[in-house]
Amino acid sequence: MPPPASPPTRSLAARVMTRLVHLYFAVDRGMTMGVRAACFDEAGRVFLVRHSYVPGWHLPGGGIERGETALEAVAKEIREEGNLVLHAPPQLLQVYFNRQTSKRDHVLLYRCDGVTQTAPRPKDHEIVEAGFFALDALPAATTAATRRRLEEIAGRAAFADVW
């Protein structure tokens, strides 16, 4: 993989919004848990998204809602963020503590192989860009955490405990 570009910085507004959302979740849920999916197509390319509210390219994912299983959350998030469809059960790879977000946040990382895209993902208020990328041609602004997850998946790094 090419060396990462200088890390993107989050604006003050994005940091404040993240804290407010997590404050709400702390009251509403007590602990937050989310999913991220490393989705690979038949060519071995990984699907990444660029959000409007945080810098960089990320694996698709989001929070697990009340009454929703982790597998339901994975299927929902990849459908919403990329028009992606699963053709095999996702494989749980690791559970991470995400201390950058809060002292109660955990992320479940799944590997999804052989996904297909039903239609290109149009730009909207949440996702400004999305697409499949070869592992040796990731966008320059791919986040350090996303690069670490892909290194772990490729077997070039041990799985960490912290996102």
Side-chain angles (χ1 to χ4, degrees), residues 32-107:
T32 57
M33 184 167 287
V35 295
R36 290 279 178 175
C39 297
F40 295 92
D41 65 7
E42 291 297 328
R45 300 175 304 164
V46 67
F47 188 81
L48 300 177
V49 297
R50 194 168 67 80
H51 297 94
S52 61
Y53 52 89
V54 291
W57 288 85
H58 304 263
L59 298 169
I64 301 171
E65 301 298 329
R66 281 196 175 154
E68 182 178 57
T69 70
L71 291 176
E72 290 169 340
V74 168
K76 176 191 73 179
E77 293 296 337
I78 68 171
R79 181 182 65 251
E80 290 177 354
E81 294 189 5
N83 293 327
L84 301 180
V85 177
L86 294 166
H87 296 288
Q91 177 188 6
L92 177 62
L93 299 178
Q94 180 67 324
V95 178
Y96 299 90
F97 176 48
N98 186 12
R99 70 173 128 217
Q100 284 185 322
T101 299
S102 76
K103 295 176 183 176
R104 318 161 334 286
D105 192 49
H106 292 78
V107 178

